[in-house]
Amino acid sequence: MEQDRAITTNAPFGGVSLRKVEREAPADGQALLSTVETGICGTDRGIVSGALGFSYNPAGRDYMVLGHECIARVASADGEGLRKGDYVVPATRSGGGCLNCLVGRPDNCSDNDRHDAGVTGKDGFMRDSFVYSTSDLVKVNDESVADVAVLTEPMKNVMKVFDSLSHITKLSVYHGKDGTLRSRRALVVGTGCEGFLFSMMASDAGYITQIVNRHDISERQKRILDTFDVDFADYSRPGALQGEGVDLLVDTSGDPAALLGMLRHVRPNGVGVCFGTNENVAPASMSGGDIINIVEKNIVVLGSVDGSKKHYMDAVRQLSAWRKCRPDAMKQMITGRFRPENTGILLARQPGEIKSVISWQ
Ligand code: NAP
Ligand code: ZN
């Protein structure tokens, strides 16, 4: 057996350490991958701090390798048209036996019989190398996107929401008189990596897009948003929100007070997407008027989690297009690169962070 350096935790109790773990040889239908970069998100930090009670180690183990955002290179593979040196992104979720899982939609798993790499009962990718099923690898055809392809995993969540929107917005006439979304408005709550990707995608789709937080953000962050024609506002300041109401609301804060408040701005036939999750936040109450608002305006409230292999592929294509036409802004999305020894990066968010990554090579 080979040995790898790996960043591990003991879920659900938390903690983080860099240790040696064994790696088995690939079996039929599996590839050996060398990890290039792994991204860090709030879920990793939640597991490390012991705040995510639903997280658990692989069966019979007292540790789990962390990390679900990854770009890797094929060291050896047979199948799925993969060659040595190809860049790939591993899809994180392994499905079980429900009908959605059986048709390649474990993101819509209906009985909770599934595992998420680095989160629930399955090792993640924060290690020098790993073995993975070739059918769960998404090839990055355009090598020039490799330096930002670690964003594929968070981006696939966004692609799933926009895929769902393409169905929901057929329920009524949703676009403007010119047949486009150019007169429609989108509001994204929260300025983390997911909020950025949602706002960039909304703007690209044609929406007049605003992203908000209840405090200011850095000049570097504002410049990236400018490049994508996304307007930032600190909504703790009176009059910061654009007044006309919005057709698409995406909440990445998970704060019920923010979500409920912003839902009141959604226009008739609009959509409010619940994406962010946060158990450690004060409750907020909903009034009868709030329900009347949703009912009378035919508002769709959509919960969305994860994405399928197709959404990973869509994400690679979208990142590749952005990497070509806005290379500087895309590179600025990676706000820090760290060595695996620097496990402290998993304890706290960095000031002005959009995406911190660990470089394994
Ligand atoms: P993140 O970096 O923690 O971003 C959350 C953002 O929300 C931060 O900018 C935070 O601001 C902001 N925020 C918190 N409360 C707010 C409020 N009341 N008003 C406005 N903004 C507020 O996390 P992320 O990686 O972007 O992910 C976003 C959320 O989606 C997280 O909750 C994450 O757990 C969840 N998530 C969901 C899925 C899914 O499939 N549904 C997948 C991945 C992640 P400050 O911290 O700067 O104050
Ligand atoms: Zn399932």
Side-chain angles (χ1 to χ4, degrees), residues 40-43 68-69 153-154 156-157 189-196 212-215 235 251-255 257-258 262 274-278 281 304-307 349 353-355:
I40 299 170
C41 86
T43 302
H68 53 282
E69 303 177 359
E153 198 280 341
K156 64 96 174 61
N157 302 322
V189 183
T191 52
C193 183
E194 296 284 3
F196 267 60
V212 297
N213 205 323
R214 66 265 191 260
H215 54 69
Y235 73 82
D251 176 68
T252 73
S253 76
D255 181 341
M262 299 302 174
C274 300
F275 181 83
T277 53
N278 187 350
V281 73
S304 186
V305 69
D306 195 39
R349 204 166 160 196
E353 174 180 285
I354 303 175
K355 182 58 67 187

Side-chain angles (χ1 to χ4, degrees), residues 36-313:
V36 180
E37 287 182 333
T38 49
I40 299 170
C41 86
T43 302
D44 303 311
R45 293 195 176 115
I47 296 170
V48 165
S49 71
L52 297 189
F54 61 81
S55 175
Y56 58 94
N57 297 329
R61 285 252 220 89
D62 61 0
Y63 71 89
M64 172 173 68
V65 179
L66 280 164
H68 53 282
E69 303 177 359
C70 176
I71 170 84
R73 290 191 95 166
V74 174
S76 73
D78 73 272
E80 301 283 323
L82 295 172
R83 291 202 202 135
K84 187 171 179 188
D86 282 346
Y87 284 98
V88 290
V89 174
T92 56
R93 187 172 279 195
S94 313
C98 83
L99 287 177
N100 281 287
C101 286
L102 291 175
V103 297
R105 291 303 303 265
D107 57 312
N108 288 343
C109 178
S110 45
D111 62 4
N112 217 21
D113 173 22
R114 37 84 175 177
H115 300 284
D116 291 317
V119 184
T120 47
K122 179 180 166 188
D123 278 335
F125 314 119
M126 289 190 183
R127 55 189 294 168
D128 290 310
S129 66
F130 58 98
V131 165
Y132 217 61
S133 164
T134 48
S135 60
D136 288 333
L137 296 173
V138 176
K139 190 169 163 178
V140 178
N141 286 312
D142 169 12
E143 289 210 355
S144 71
V145 79
D147 58 355
V148 295
V150 71
L151 296 172
T152 303
E153 198 280 341
M155 187 67 194
K156 64 96 174 61
N157 302 322
V158 177
M159 301 317 286
K160 173 174 173 173
V161 166
F162 277 81
D163 185 11
S164 303
L165 283 173
S166 69
H167 299 281
I168 292 167
T169 55
K170 290 194 177 75
L171 295 174
S172 62
V173 178
Y174 185 79
H175 53 69
K177 272 186 189 155
D178 64 354
T180 77
L181 296 172
R182 300 253 166 233
S183 57
R184 307 290 96 173
R185 288 180 180 272
L187 175 64
V188 177
V189 183
T191 52
C193 183
E194 296 284 3
F196 267 60
L197 294 172
F198 270 112
S199 68
M200 289 151 62
M201 189 64 199
S203 180
D204 223 56
Y207 292 92
I208 302 161
T209 305
Q210 190 174 44
I211 186 170
V212 297
N213 205 323
R214 66 265 191 260
H215 54 69
D216 206 2
I217 57 171
S218 73
E219 288 308 312
R220 172 187 170 129
Q221 288 172 309
K222 284 181 190 164
R223 277 196 300 276
I224 297 173
L225 295 171
D226 263 356
T227 315
F228 282 85
D229 286 329
V230 174
D231 175 51
F232 167 76
D234 166 1
Y235 73 82
S236 68
R237 297 183 178 190
L241 291 183
Q242 292 170 351
E244 299 95 309
V246 299
D247 305 283
L248 171 64
L249 165 70
V250 181
D251 176 68
T252 73
S253 76
D255 181 341
L259 172 68
L260 283 174
M262 299 302 174
L263 266 176
R264 295 174 192 137
H265 294 273
V266 177
R267 296 200 278 218
N269 305 313
V271 184
V273 179
C274 300
F275 181 83
T277 53
N278 187 350
E279 280 182 84
N280 305 316
V281 73
S285 62
M286 203 172 187
S287 69
D290 287 321
I291 294 176
I292 291 170
N293 178 54
I294 291 170
V295 172
E296 292 294 324
K297 292 190 195 159
N298 294 305
I299 291 168
V300 174
V301 178
L302 171 73
S304 186
V305 69
D306 195 39
S308 68
K309 193 170 168 189
K310 164 186 150 39
H311 301 121
Y312 280 86
M313 293 167 75

